[in-house]
Amino acid sequence: MPATIRKGFPVWATLFIEFLLVIAAVMLALWAGEWVKSNERKQSAATALENIYYEIRGNKQYLEQLHQRHKDYAENFDERFDVMVALDPLEASSEEVWSANLIPFRGWDAAWRLAQAGGVLSEVNYEYAVAITSAYGIQEIYADYGKEYLSVAFNLDYVDPDKKDQVRDSIKATLASFIIFNQTLLNQYDQTLTKLEEHPDLNITKN
């Protein structure tokens, strides 16, 4: 320390001031380092949310197409049934067999899983985390239901004439379930996307 500062000060006072200056410098360096890390975490969280936003939006667009397909297939189903039962599944087109029309939705979740694995969601406010978790949670339930159905779906392409009514009811019930699941998930997608669009730190392009 310069002599002008030392002059008139006891040695202990000079040492104490130097100690305080060192502590202040260390604290400032630690604060600056933590500020940089906090900004990096915040940016990582924002990037993760943007990726999730676009992933959910892509899922929504695909599900809207599938939802319309299910509804179109359900319309006038009874009138088509007898004609479709008579088709040979090996010769019928993909539009004519049950398994091609009863497609359960399987959405993408890579962005969601990466965000979870990276731990960046700890930087996300609770309200956004709830909206995202709700969307992917319903999506996962639908996927699990779809897996169970797919294990038997292709067996419906051949219909035993003696069990025609039973198969008709089974297909209609499954189709009705898909339509309900579709609409429920579409509603949640809309809510989640709207919530993420409110986030002040996200650089997203709507539609």
Side-chain angles (χ1 to χ4, degrees):
M1 183 172 289
T4 53
I5 297 180
R6 291 177 179 272
K7 187 177 180 179
F9 275 78
V11 173
W12 68 265
T14 301
L15 294 175
F16 181 69
I17 292 174
E18 291 179 347
F19 174 76
L20 290 179
L21 291 175
V22 170
I23 293 299
V26 171
M27 294 298 294
L28 182 61
L30 290 174
W31 175 84
E34 184 58 33
W35 180 82
V36 170
K37 290 181 181 179
S38 177
N39 271 4
E40 289 176 348
R41 290 194 299 268
K42 185 176 180 181
Q43 184 57 49
S44 295
T47 300
L49 290 183
E50 289 170 7
N51 291 338
I52 287 172
Y53 175 86
Y54 290 117
E55 182 172 76
I56 289 177
R57 195 170 75 177
N59 285 342
K60 177 177 177 285
Q61 292 170 347
Y62 171 58
L63 181 55
E64 285 173 337
Q65 297 175 4
L66 190 59
H67 186 42
Q68 188 59 52
R69 181 171 183 169
H70 287 157
K71 291 194 296 183
D72 291 343
Y73 188 63
E75 187 176 357
N76 302 319
F77 175 80
D78 288 324
E79 288 122 358
R80 302 183 195 179
F81 185 79
D82 290 333
V83 174
M84 297 181 73
V85 165
L87 292 173
D88 182 342
L90 297 179
E91 298 178 358
S93 70
S94 62
E95 296 297 322
E96 294 173 325
V97 296
W98 314 123
S99 55
N101 289 280
L102 298 176
I103 303 172
F105 175 70
R106 175 69 185 181
W108 294 279
D109 61 2
W112 165 242
R113 293 187 181 279
L114 283 173
Q116 288 181 304
V120 297
L121 293 180
S122 61
E123 299 295 318
V124 176
N125 288 346
Y126 177 77
E127 56 187 319
Y128 299 107
V130 169
I132 294 168
T133 302
S134 297
Y136 283 103
I138 296 174
Q139 178 176 300
E140 187 63 28
I141 292 172
Y142 192 176
D144 289 341
Y145 175 76
K147 288 177 185 176
E148 293 180 11
Y149 176 73
L150 281 177
S151 65
V152 297
F154 291 95
N155 293 329
L156 296 177
D157 288 340
Y158 169 76
V159 179
D160 185 335
D162 295 334
K163 299 180 179 179
K164 186 170 69 173
D165 290 339
Q166 180 181 344
V167 172
R168 181 203 307 266
D169 292 342
S170 175
I171 293 174
K172 290 177 71 174
T174 300
L175 194 53
S177 297
F178 282 175
I179 291 172
I180 292 171
F181 265 118
N182 292 345
Q183 192 59 62
T184 300
L185 186 51
L186 284 172
N187 292 342
Q188 184 59 55
Y189 280 161
D190 281 333
Q191 294 176 27
T192 302
L193 292 173
T194 299
K195 192 63 184 177
L196 289 175
E197 287 167 0
E198 298 172 357
H199 198 294
D201 298 328
L202 301 191
N203 182 24
I204 54 180
T205 303
K206 300 179 183 178
N207 301 326

